[in-house]
Amino acid sequence: MDFRLPYAHRGLDHDPQWYRRAVFYEVMVRSFYDSDGDGVGDIPGLISKLDYLEWLGIDALWLPPFYSSPLKDGGYDVADFRQVLPEFGTIEDFQELVAQAHSRNMRVVMDLPLNHTSVDHEWFQESRSNPDGPYGDYYVWSDTDQIRQQIRVIFTDTENSNWAFDSERRQFYFHRFFSHQPDLNYHNPRVHDEVRDIARFWLAMGVDGFRLDAIPYLYESDEGSGESEPETHEFLKKFRSFLDEEFPGRVLIAEANQWPKEVAAYLGTNEEPECHMAFDFPIMPRIFYALRSQQTASLNEVLSETTEVPEGAAWGVFLRNHDELTLEMVTEEEKQALYGWYAYDPRMRVNVGIRRRLATLLDNSRKELELAHGLLLSLPGSPFLYYGDEIGMGDNIWLEDRDSSRTPMQWTPDRNAGFSAADPGKLYLPVVQSLVYNYAFSNVETQLAQQASLLHWVRNLVHLRKEHPVLGVGSLRVVPTDNPSALAFIRDMQAEDCRPGERPETMLCVYSFAHHPISVDLQLPEEFRANRVTDVMGGASFPAPTEQGHVTLTLPAQSFYWLSLAGVKQSVA
Ligand code: GLC
């Protein structure tokens, strides 16, 4: 199939708030397409698949690190921030990727892991061998590992302390993640200068923004928790003004796995903005909780809490990404329930989370995959899809750590799932060959040939969302229902939110998490009681609200409606 659009449709639009209407796609360079047959995905390979992503409706790519790295943490262990890992390609390849993406009006956001480097980074090597030299204070050194014991360990499966001893410098260094990832010392202003220069280097190449990896952990203190300390926010405010001044229109996306109010803090305030976007960590596990418990109370609660954000800020909503499905931000009771439902085999767990893909978590249930995507694409904020989830790709829990869900993209039923022409034994990770998710039928080519496939369904929904910018920029109001398995909210876009050519729009989104059909009564706010109710997908008219604003709907098991509230309902004579 030829995915290309005529050239007339190409070129980058100049909306500085482009990210509020964008559908993002996380794709690891290593996993997408191998253009030179060495068994590893590369940048030219990704370029060759941009037509596919354009066809899918993707507006922006998020690329996890592709810097020079020993790859002991999927590239989040950076050895040189100014080099592309040779097996992924060259700087010129990357520039070509940016140019090719932009020609399709597609943005490129890259990961910037600022908190730490690899032990292989030359700064660390200098720091450990020459404590009095220029790099001596680039990392957090201490004579004792008995301080800052109150700071929790994140990678609980592999690390039992945040300190590691360096035999050369004969001191301990602090690390929030793996012991091969020493934390940079943000109390040293030279580290700020370095980080800014690195950002400039990539921004000058046309990159549209950064995902700021592990951002809450930049600063730590002797008494604090090492998370979201005030100086971290001070740093971000400065970083944001640098970006706004030198590179307006580029974005910062916070990866802050924190409770709702703390995540919101990463967006800053109208007066002092920090990031443009923050991943909505609190909502994600609650979607999975609702799918099994058939209860929406916890979703309702968190949705009502996280809505206040500064002007122009947006949430990044997601179901899965390259990490484990983290359960750090749920109650103990919810965590145990989620483990029971989704990680019944201990191999499915890692750290405080579950290392499985979307389709396997949902047991390949088409209804659940549709419901989850329906919610994802209508929640306040911009959705981030994870490569392969659009075809319901499986995972491999026999692989180590989070590699379980980082296997090669499945393009065709051919050798190596069409990902690579290499000898199968040479692939960076094997393709998924499990019974249910075997690449022989779970692949792009096969799903393209079937109109009713998940791939076509997801694509249609993505395009439908793009036709309704209210789902990107509209405000959110949770609507009370009489059914604990239902969730309803109104998205409302006013004239001031419209770009030229757009019109104000209101949408009522209703979800049923019940495993059987239900009827639900909604109470609409006063101003929508006179509206007509129309299904956005098929255009069918639904019964209009009563005088008191009641709408009664019936929903099949695990289903949803996107309903437009527009025009004036016909008055009953
Ligand atoms: C972030 C990344 C994760 C990585 C960690 C340490 O959380 O998403 O993949 O392991 O940072 O760099």
Side-chain angles (χ1 to χ4, degrees), residues 27 29 42-50 53 61 63 66 90-104 106-110 205 207-208:
V27 52
V29 169
D42 44 49
I43 297 174
L46 175 54
I47 294 173
S48 71
K49 297 297 184 186
L50 287 178
L53 295 173
L61 305 178
L63 306 179
F66 50 84
T90 61
I91 291 274
E92 290 71 35
D93 290 334
F94 180 72
Q95 287 170 324
E96 178 66 12
L97 172 70
V98 173
Q100 292 266 357
H102 285 180
S103 75
R104 293 166 172 82
M106 200 185 278
R107 258 81 180 188
V108 180
V109 169
M110 61 190 277
M205 253 182 263
V207 157
D208 298 288

XYZ file of all heavy atoms in Angstrom, residues 27 29 42-50 53 61 63 66 90-104 106-110 205 207-208:
301
model
N 8.471 5.959 19.548
C 9.109 4.900 18.770
C 10.595 4.863 19.064
O 11.296 5.878 18.993
C 8.816 5.052 17.250
C 9.136 6.444 16.737
C 9.569 4.008 16.444
N 14.211 3.994 18.104
C 14.914 3.821 16.822
C 15.327 2.362 16.640
O 15.188 1.775 15.579
C 16.150 4.754 16.773
C 17.047 4.412 15.598
C 15.712 6.214 16.699
N 17.343 1.421 12.803
C 18.199 2.593 12.640
C 17.392 3.777 12.112
O 16.224 3.646 11.757
C 19.378 2.262 11.704
C 18.922 1.480 10.481
O 17.935 1.925 9.863
O 19.512 0.430 10.162
N 18.064 4.938 12.084
C 17.352 6.165 11.696
C 16.889 6.100 10.235
O 15.735 6.426 9.942
C 18.207 7.422 11.994
C 18.432 7.510 13.513
C 17.522 8.683 11.494
C 19.377 8.616 13.951
N 17.746 5.653 9.290
C 17.213 5.545 7.913
C 15.997 4.612 7.851
O 15.059 4.844 7.077
C 18.402 4.970 7.130
C 19.613 5.406 7.908
C 19.192 5.370 9.349
N 15.991 3.587 8.685
C 14.844 2.681 8.731
C 13.588 3.421 9.184
O 12.510 3.270 8.595
N 13.742 4.238 10.202
C 12.599 5.019 10.695
C 12.109 5.980 9.601
O 10.903 6.125 9.372
C 13.017 5.770 11.965
C 12.023 6.742 12.579
C 10.678 6.080 12.856
C 12.577 7.331 13.883
N 13.064 6.608 8.908
C 12.682 7.532 7.830
C 11.813 6.793 6.805
O 10.799 7.309 6.333
C 13.934 8.135 7.148
C 14.690 9.029 8.132
C 13.548 8.926 5.887
C 16.032 9.554 7.624
N 12.219 5.554 6.515
C 11.484 4.832 5.467
C 10.071 4.455 5.920
O 9.253 4.042 5.095
C 12.262 3.584 5.038
O 12.219 2.610 6.062
N 9.789 4.595 7.205
C 8.446 4.256 7.700
C 7.616 5.495 8.047
O 6.529 5.379 8.622
C 8.550 3.350 8.928
C 9.200 1.993 8.651
C 8.375 1.164 7.657
C 8.958 -0.224 7.446
N 8.245 -0.973 6.383
N 8.131 6.673 7.717
C 7.374 7.887 8.046
C 6.045 7.951 7.287
O 5.057 8.492 7.781
C 8.196 9.144 7.751
C 9.352 9.431 8.709
C 10.108 10.678 8.262
C 8.862 9.609 10.144
N 3.529 6.250 9.307
C 3.100 7.015 10.479
C 2.211 8.186 10.075
O 1.259 8.543 10.780
C 4.329 7.499 11.262
C 5.141 6.349 11.863
C 6.442 6.855 12.480
C 4.328 5.594 12.916
N 6.635 12.650 16.736
C 7.326 11.468 17.223
C 7.994 11.792 18.545
O 8.498 12.897 18.724
C 8.438 11.057 16.240
C 8.043 10.818 14.799
C 9.282 10.483 13.979
C 7.027 9.680 14.731
N 11.153 10.234 20.389
C 12.233 9.264 20.244
C 12.993 9.113 21.556
O 13.663 10.055 21.994
C 13.224 9.727 19.170
C 12.653 10.069 17.794
C 13.777 10.527 16.876
C 11.952 8.862 17.200
N 18.902 8.126 21.503
C 19.649 7.424 20.446
C 21.090 7.920 20.452
O 21.805 7.832 19.481
C 18.979 7.634 19.078
C 18.683 9.077 18.782
C 19.658 9.905 18.247
C 17.432 9.605 19.067
C 19.395 11.252 18.013
C 17.163 10.955 18.834
C 18.143 11.774 18.306
N 23.865 8.367 11.806
C 24.761 9.513 11.987
C 23.931 10.767 12.266
O 22.703 10.758 12.118
C 25.544 9.767 10.689
O 24.572 10.061 9.659
C 26.364 8.560 10.266
N 24.637 11.819 12.606
C 23.963 13.111 12.815
C 23.252 13.522 11.516
O 22.143 14.041 11.536
C 25.005 14.191 13.220
C 25.542 13.903 14.621
C 24.437 15.583 13.084
C 24.731 14.442 15.771
N 23.902 13.253 10.378
C 23.299 13.617 9.085
C 21.997 12.835 8.879
O 21.016 13.377 8.379
C 24.254 13.334 7.915
C 25.451 14.256 7.837
C 26.487 14.037 8.940
O 26.667 12.865 9.343
O 27.078 15.025 9.415
N 22.005 11.572 9.274
C 20.761 10.786 9.168
C 19.674 11.430 10.015
O 18.512 11.507 9.619
C 20.972 9.348 9.684
C 21.861 8.523 8.778
O 21.912 8.823 7.575
O 22.512 7.582 9.289
N 20.073 11.882 11.210
C 19.073 12.482 12.090
C 18.521 13.767 11.477
O 17.319 14.031 11.514
C 19.669 12.740 13.481
C 18.659 13.351 14.396
C 17.596 12.588 14.881
C 18.720 14.686 14.743
C 16.627 13.150 15.687
C 17.754 15.259 15.552
C 16.706 14.480 16.026
N 19.431 14.559 10.886
C 18.960 15.804 10.251
C 17.979 15.481 9.127
O 16.989 16.177 8.924
C 20.153 16.600 9.724
C 20.934 17.224 10.863
C 22.250 17.827 10.409
O 22.906 17.298 9.515
N 22.647 18.911 11.042
N 18.279 14.422 8.420
C 17.386 14.002 7.337
C 16.022 13.577 7.909
O 14.981 13.904 7.351
C 18.051 12.839 6.564
C 17.240 12.241 5.429
C 17.008 13.202 4.262
O 17.657 14.264 4.213
O 16.133 12.888 3.418
N 16.065 12.891 9.034
C 14.807 12.483 9.677
C 13.958 13.705 10.027
O 12.756 13.748 9.752
C 15.107 11.670 10.953
C 13.886 11.351 11.823
C 12.969 10.347 11.138
C 14.299 10.818 13.190
N 14.610 14.703 10.616
C 13.871 15.908 11.004
C 13.276 16.573 9.752
O 12.100 16.940 9.724
C 14.781 16.888 11.789
C 14.070 18.214 12.040
C 15.216 16.257 13.112
N 14.098 16.672 8.710
C 13.618 17.318 7.486
C 12.449 16.535 6.885
O 11.427 17.113 6.492
C 14.764 17.425 6.478
N 12.601 15.234 6.841
C 11.542 14.389 6.246
C 10.268 14.426 7.086
O 9.166 14.430 6.561
C 12.033 12.942 6.146
C 13.142 12.757 5.145
C 12.607 12.348 3.786
O 11.404 12.151 3.621
N 13.485 12.224 2.818
N 10.436 14.433 8.389
C 9.259 14.501 9.259
C 8.576 15.847 9.060
O 7.358 15.920 8.849
C 9.657 14.289 10.716
N 9.365 16.917 9.082
C 8.774 18.257 8.938
C 8.056 18.409 7.602
O 7.038 19.093 7.523
C 9.858 19.323 9.104
C 10.272 19.509 10.541
N 11.224 20.405 10.927
C 9.852 18.906 11.680
C 11.381 20.351 12.249
N 10.560 19.440 12.719
N 8.594 17.783 6.567
C 7.934 17.933 5.265
C 6.554 17.280 5.292
O 5.720 17.527 4.431
C 8.792 17.342 4.151
O 8.733 15.939 4.191
N 6.314 16.434 6.293
C 4.987 15.817 6.457
C 4.186 16.483 7.568
O 3.234 15.900 8.093
C 5.156 14.339 6.805
C 5.743 13.520 5.685
C 6.182 12.165 6.219
N 6.570 11.292 5.142
C 7.759 11.303 4.550
N 8.674 12.180 4.919
N 8.033 10.458 3.584
N 5.110 16.759 10.553
C 5.257 15.887 11.722
C 6.437 16.406 12.545
O 7.487 16.716 11.989
C 5.560 14.467 11.225
C 5.289 13.371 12.208
S 5.848 11.786 11.522
C 4.501 11.321 10.466
N 6.230 16.551 13.844
C 7.293 17.063 14.705
C 8.153 15.929 15.265
O 7.690 14.781 15.325
C 6.666 17.801 15.888
C 6.678 19.303 15.795
C 5.620 19.885 14.979
N 5.743 21.341 14.967
C 4.852 22.150 14.450
N 3.771 21.682 13.888
N 5.031 23.442 14.463
N 9.333 16.299 15.706
C 10.235 15.303 16.300
C 10.661 15.780 17.692
O 11.297 16.823 17.832
C 11.496 15.088 15.429
C 12.414 14.058 16.064
C 11.106 14.661 14.024
N 10.257 15.025 18.686
C 10.641 15.326 20.067
C 11.605 14.238 20.511
O 11.361 13.058 20.250
C 9.381 15.331 20.970
C 9.760 15.383 22.442
C 8.474 16.497 20.612
N 12.702 14.631 21.135
C 13.660 13.613 21.564
C 13.828 13.612 23.077
O 13.513 14.588 23.745
C 14.999 13.796 20.849
C 15.678 15.107 21.104
S 17.100 15.345 19.995
C 18.359 14.434 20.870
N 19.315 21.997 15.304
C 19.122 21.051 14.191
C 17.642 20.913 13.821
O 17.299 20.137 12.932
C 19.648 19.682 14.614
C 20.938 19.328 13.954
S 21.424 17.697 14.488
C 22.544 18.107 15.754
N 15.064 20.159 16.114
C 14.252 19.318 16.992
C 13.117 20.144 17.607
O 13.315 21.297 17.965
C 15.176 18.716 18.079
C 14.399 18.310 19.297
C 15.938 17.550 17.501
N 11.945 19.553 17.726
C 10.769 20.307 18.159
C 10.554 20.292 19.661
O 9.584 20.873 20.152
C 9.534 19.764 17.452
C 9.653 19.931 15.958
O 9.550 21.081 15.500
O 9.918 18.933 15.255
